Amino acid sequence: MRRFTALRGAALTVLALSTALTATPARAHTGRPLGIGHCTATACHFDVPPGTYDVTVRLGAATASATRITGETRRTLLPETAVPAGGHATRSFTVDVRTPEGEPTGPDGTPGLDLALGGSAPALDAIRVTPARHARRILLIGDSTVCDQPADPYSGWGQQLPQYLRAGLSVANHADSGESTVTYLQDPRLWAAVQQLIRPGDLVLVQLAHNDKTTDGATYRANLETLVAGIRERGGAPVLVTPVVRRWFNADGTLNNDTALLVNGLGVDHPAVIRSVAAAEDVPLIDLSARTRHLVESLGPEGSKALYLYNEKRDNTHTSVHGATVFAGLVRDELLARHLVPEGRVRVGQAPGAP
């Protein structure tokens, strides 16, 4: 993402910060405070090293506003938030800053923290960025259906998960396009690097299956067991996630076929193996295959198109921003239902499925 020189203009009036935003701000290595002076009307750039940062924003203006905040590689950090004319709303979230800033095998991206202000009528009144001292992390290991996709119209569900979380809980998305359990373990930029980042107490969600098209059952199971053991070795808490289904309908309107349900050419039923490993290893399971199958079938062949990139690319595997947001909402629900994250750290007002 682009660097820029901080500007001030009529579109972004700097007002006195509220008490919540006047605590000592984080400082870059240059010693400069990190606040509204680093923003334009549409974006902010903060020259900070890799790490985890708490961001508090005050939204609102003299006219009615609606602001959505994305960051780094197109991650949705705050859903569109409406504020009435003359009013203000304070929101906080925690963001992971890393290099590479998106997919682990992708380009480095822009150093520092970049935020983009969107929505139907964006209005940022104040902002404060500080190092996160006690944040808990959710690390993601997965493929293109999970990763921080670099360009429209693609989006992985991990890219949309941060918008459902409040300050104190961040998402570090280390999913990478095209990876299977075999390649993720083999590439030193992936598992070997990610394992070293795991800290005691981190949740590590693993969803790998879409690209294990030629992986035999014994190897697939052993690879999942290796990931679980490696996460626990570092003090992390593994969570196995069955893969999102493909939008591949039978004539009767069901998804009961190998293509949709991730059974590979060798007959390996990936979701079934994941469920078996989770039970045998006493690992929490998020059965995203079951949840997405139910949702896609309920929407039907026509209604489910918007979840995927069928209209744009005739793609029945990868999700749109809308679809990724809906699927991320399902993951949020499962994290709460299994008490894997504190309720106070999760936004529950958003309804998965809403466009």
Side-chain angles (χ1 to χ4, degrees):
M1 275 164 263
R2 180 176 62 87
R3 286 181 182 271
F4 59 88
T5 303
L7 301 174
R8 291 185 176 89
L12 185 64
T13 304
V14 180
L15 302 177
L17 301 185
S18 65
T19 302
L21 297 178
T22 53
T24 303
R27 296 177 181 272
H29 62 275
T30 60
R32 293 176 296 175
L34 300 182
I36 200 72
H38 293 262
C39 300
T40 68
T42 58
C44 302
H45 173 78
F46 301 98
D47 187 15
V48 296
T52 308
Y53 294 88
D54 289 330
V55 180
T56 299
V57 296
R58 191 172 67 182
L59 309 174
T63 57
S65 63
T67 308
R68 176 175 179 261
I69 299 178
T70 58
E72 298 296 271
T73 303
R74 302 175 61 243
R75 303 175 214 160
T76 302
L77 302 171
L78 188 70
E80 185 160 331
T81 302
V83 180
H88 292 92
T90 300
R91 299 288 187 270
S92 298
F93 52 86
T94 301
V95 59
D96 173 63
V97 177
R98 60 182 183 270
T99 303
E101 68 179 29
E103 296 177 86
T105 63
D108 284 353
T110 302
L113 170 60
D114 288 285
L115 303 176
L117 309 176
S120 57
L124 176 67
D125 180 57
I127 186 168
R128 179 168 62 97
V129 178
T130 58
R133 302 299 184 189
H134 305 291
R136 190 180 182 192
R137 298 187 305 171
I138 300 175
L139 278 70
L140 305 180
I141 291 173
D143 52 35
S144 59
T145 65
V146 184
C147 75
D148 287 351
Q149 290 280 359
D152 281 328
Y154 295 89
S155 181
W157 63 254
Q159 201 165 17
Q160 302 302 326
L161 184 61
Q163 67 184 296
Y164 291 104
L165 308 179
R166 301 182 189 274
L169 189 59
S170 69
V171 174
N173 192 351
H174 296 277
D176 197 72
S177 292
E179 306 300 341
S180 65
T181 58
V182 175
T183 60
Y184 204 96
L185 286 167
Q186 289 177 342
D187 192 326
R189 297 170 295 179
L190 298 173
W191 173 238
V194 174
Q195 187 185 24
Q196 297 307 308
L197 298 175
I198 299 171
R199 300 192 300 244
D202 284 342
L203 277 182
V204 186
L205 276 58
V206 179
Q207 185 214 281
L208 287 167
H210 278 274
N211 299 302
D212 280 280
K213 298 173 183 177
T214 60
T215 308
D216 65 79
T219 301
Y220 185 65
R221 184 182 188 91
N223 289 344
L224 293 175
E225 292 169 345
T226 296
L227 290 166
V228 167
I231 293 165
R232 285 174 165 165
E233 181 183 314
R234 296 286 298 178
V239 179
L240 292 178
V241 183
T242 59
V244 299
V245 296
R246 294 190 177 98
R247 184 191 163 277
W248 202 272
F249 283 90
N250 294 324
D252 63 0
T254 68
L255 297 178
N256 190 21
N257 59 76
D258 289 354
T259 300
L261 301 184
L262 283 299
V263 178
N264 74 9
L266 301 179
V268 179
D269 185 330
H270 292 111
V273 175
I274 295 169
R275 295 177 189 118
S276 175
V277 172
E281 299 292 329
D282 194 24
V283 174
L285 173 74
I286 293 178
D287 199 342
L288 201 53
S289 297
R291 292 295 302 269
T292 55
R293 178 184 179 183
H294 175 75
L295 176 60
V296 172
E297 286 185 340
S298 70
L299 291 172
E302 189 61 34
S304 62
K305 288 179 179 178
L307 296 174
Y308 295 84
L309 294 175
Y310 179 84
N311 293 325
E312 300 87 347
K313 302 284 186 178
R314 294 298 187 268
D315 186 333
N316 292 307
T317 297
H318 298 97
T319 48
S320 62
V321 170
H322 166 62
T325 301
V326 172
F327 290 171
L330 298 178
V331 174
R332 181 271 314 267
D333 293 347
E334 291 292 307
L335 290 171
L336 282 173
R338 282 153 180 71
H339 306 290
L340 295 171
V341 295
E343 288 187 13
R345 299 297 186 191
V346 179
R347 303 183 196 278
V348 295
Q350 295 163 266

